[in-house]
């Protein structure tokens, strides 16, 4: 009997180069390389540096993932790659690598939406997602509440997004003002351990009007935190960073979990899945646990290593698509840096001078 297909996933949308191998919903092995340190002195990801780092890391990371899984190139039955959203140059490196591998191995290629990858990450730890489930995606670029049914087949219903900054962006920008290192989220999380979450009464944006119940906004909170820091500096007082970090983290965690749990109740959904880099935040996790328990909602959060960008989550989507019999991407599939999330499969095709006549 032929074994189930092995899917290689490649992720390169931002500063992590990831490769992962998944078969029938099970993670076989993965590897991640990060160019985070190279961006630190600029205080944010520099697209050209990220793209160049992907060029250097792509082949070694795929080899490391295969070694981790105890597999060889010839064992790969399909390749899935993030085609968007993300940094254009960074995405192009991963897509080129994936095309090269798929073509050389003679296996199908699948284009995957990065955020669907974050959603699927949880299946590698906790098994298939219940249908329906509520998903809160909180990363450096996105904050969205999604109603998810069958990830490989059904459209993903967007209940709400952020009007301005993403939750992770808020952490990153405020951390910079507080003098904490980049990336800001983990630094705020660490600093907050020593602080009092009630020290500063930061605002809870968009928590009053019913029409905003699924919508987020973090730029006002960011400004309030920056102003609080400026006031201390102007008065010549030392900045109580731990208290500021704990209070900021409390405000973000409060807003995120309050809206997500309320959305579960409103839509009669029994499972909340929190994914993306900010799902690694200790207070977000603890408050979500508390509020889900009180509301009788099952909470699923992937382990930390699967919350931040990685290739295994892309392989997880690829594996679902293969098993659902989805159509592979054509070899002229291209990147879509600002792809909206509609379906997990994302197959933008090159247009313009490279398009073949009659297609
Ligand atoms: O999902 P991700 O790895 O990349 C994107 O697709 O954006 O998320 C990165 C974001 C960054 O803003 C980072 O500061 C934040 O996740 N982050 C955290 C924590 N770990 C990572 N934010 C708060 N607390 C953390 N422990
Ligand atoms: Zn991400």
């Amino acid at each position: 009997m032929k074994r189930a297909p092995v899917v290689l996933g490649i992720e390169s949308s931002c500063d992590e180069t990831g490769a992962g191998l998944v078969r029938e919903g099970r993670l076989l092995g993965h590897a991640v390389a990060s160019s985070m340190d190279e961006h630190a002195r600029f205080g944010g990801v520099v697209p050209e540096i990220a793209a160049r780092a992907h060029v250097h890391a792509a082949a070694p990371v795929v080899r490391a993932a295969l070694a981790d899984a105890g597999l060889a190139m010839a064992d790969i039955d399909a390749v899935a790659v993030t085609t968007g959203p993300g940094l254009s140059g960074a995405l192009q490196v991963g897509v080129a690598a994936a095309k090269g591998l798929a073509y050389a191995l003679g296996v199908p290629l699948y284009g995957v939406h990065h955020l669907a990858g974050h959603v699927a990450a949880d299946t590698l730890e906790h098994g298939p997602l219940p249908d329906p489930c509520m998903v809160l995606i909180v990363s450096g670029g996105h904050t969205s509440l999604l109603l998810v049914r069958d990830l490989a087949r059904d459209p993903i219903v967007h209940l709400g997004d952020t009007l301005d900054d993403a939750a992770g962006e808020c952490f990153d920008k405020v951390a910079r003002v507080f003098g904490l290192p980049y990336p800001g989220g983990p630094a705020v999380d660490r600093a907050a351990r020593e602080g009092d979450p009630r020290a500063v009464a930061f605002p809870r944006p968009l928590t009053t009007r019913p029409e905003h119940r699924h919508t987020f906004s973090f730029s006002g909170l960011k400004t309030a935190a920056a102003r609080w820091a400026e006031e201390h500096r102007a008065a010549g007082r030392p900045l109580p960073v731990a208290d500021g970090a704990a209070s900021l983290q409390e405000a973000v965690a409060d807003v995120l979990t309050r809206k997500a749990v309320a959305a579960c109740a409103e839509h009669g959904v029994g499972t909340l899945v929190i994914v993306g880099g900010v799902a690694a935040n200790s207070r977000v996790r603890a408050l979500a646990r508390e509020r889900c328990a009180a509301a009788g909602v099952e909470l699923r959060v992937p382990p930390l290593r699967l919350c931040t960008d990685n290739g295994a989550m892309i392989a997880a989507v690829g594996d679902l698509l293969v098993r659902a019999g989805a159509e592979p991407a054509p070899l002229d599939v291209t990147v879509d840096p600002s792809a909206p999330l509609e379906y997990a499969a994302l197959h933008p095709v090159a247009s313009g001078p490279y398009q073949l006549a009659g297609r």
Side-chain angles (χ1 to χ4, degrees):
M1 196 181 81
K2 193 182 173 333
R3 58 167 175 73
V6 171
V7 182
L8 167 71
I10 296 179
E11 154 64 32
S12 73
S13 67
C14 192
D15 56 348
E16 264 99 29
T17 318
L21 293 142
V22 169
R23 177 169 57 207
E24 281 194 306
R26 278 198 29 251
L27 176 58
L28 304 174
H30 79 133
V32 181
S34 178
S35 59
M36 195 182 283
D37 294 346
E38 293 173 60
H39 307 289
R41 69 190 172 100
F42 301 103
V45 176
V46 182
E48 290 79 4
I49 294 178
R52 195 173 54 218
H54 290 307
V55 172
H56 290 295
V61 163
V62 170
R63 278 197 298 271
L66 283 167
D68 189 40
L71 294 173
M73 282 285 181
D75 295 318
I76 298 169
D77 298 298
V79 179
V81 63
T82 307
T83 46
L87 302 170
S88 174
L91 288 165
Q92 282 175 33
V93 177
V95 169
K99 280 184 187 178
L101 281 169
Y103 185 69
L105 295 168
V107 301
L109 176 70
Y110 294 84
V112 169
H113 195 290
H114 178 79
L115 295 184
H118 275 299
V119 178
D122 187 66
T123 65
L124 297 175
E125 185 73 12
H126 299 119
L129 292 171
D131 173 4
C133 61
M134 190 64 66
V135 179
L136 173 66
I137 293 196
V138 270
S139 72
H142 299 269
T143 305
S144 303
L145 256 181
L146 312 171
L147 191 56
V148 175
R149 305 203 71 104
D150 182 329
L151 194 57
R153 294 185 174 89
D154 296 329
I156 294 162
V157 179
H158 245 103
L159 295 179
D161 293 284
T162 177
L163 298 177
D164 37 58
D165 292 7
E169 200 177 347
C170 175
F171 278 127
D172 293 337
K173 289 179 176 168
V174 174
R176 200 170 169 170
V177 177
F178 283 4
L180 293 168
Y182 170 86
V188 168
D189 202 341
R190 276 193 304 275
R193 281 183 217 150
E194 315 294 326
D196 176 4
R198 288 173 304 274
V200 198
F202 285 135
R204 306 298 199 250
L206 303 188
T207 44
T208 48
R209 304 246 295 273
E211 66 270 29
H212 288 151
R213 67 198 183 287
H214 298 326
T215 314
F216 301 90
S217 165
F218 291 103
S219 85
L221 180 56
K222 173 189 69 184
T223 308
R227 198 171 303 132
W228 172 81
E230 275 160 25
E231 278 163 14
H232 274 78
R233 290 197 177 114
R237 293 193 303 266
L239 190 67
V241 172
D243 282 350
S247 302
L248 173 78
Q249 183 173 277
E250 190 64 27
V252 173
D254 180 19
V255 171
L256 290 176
T257 56
R258 204 191 301 183
K259 286 177 182 258
V261 173
C264 290
E266 179 179 331
H267 293 270
V269 173
T271 304
L272 171 65
V273 189
I274 307 186
V275 297
V278 180
N281 182 267
S282 60
R283 186 57 185 151
V284 170
R285 294 169 91 96
L287 199 54
R289 211 175 300 126
E290 212 174 275
R291 290 183 171 168
C292 282
V297 169
E298 179 206 15
L299 175 67
R300 295 176 42 152
V301 190
L304 296 188
R305 68 182 199 291
L306 293 176
C307 280
T308 47
D309 291 350
N310 64 83
M313 69 188 200
I314 304 305
V317 177
D319 172 64
L320 289 172
L321 293 172
V322 168
R323 287 192 283 146
E327 193 66 30
L331 271 182
D332 60 350
V333 62
T334 186
V335 304
D336 186 354
S338 52
L341 180 57
E342 286 156 353
Y343 285 90
L346 183 63
H347 292 163
V349 177
S351 59
Y354 300 107
Q355 194 155 14
L356 299 174
R359 295 189 63 193

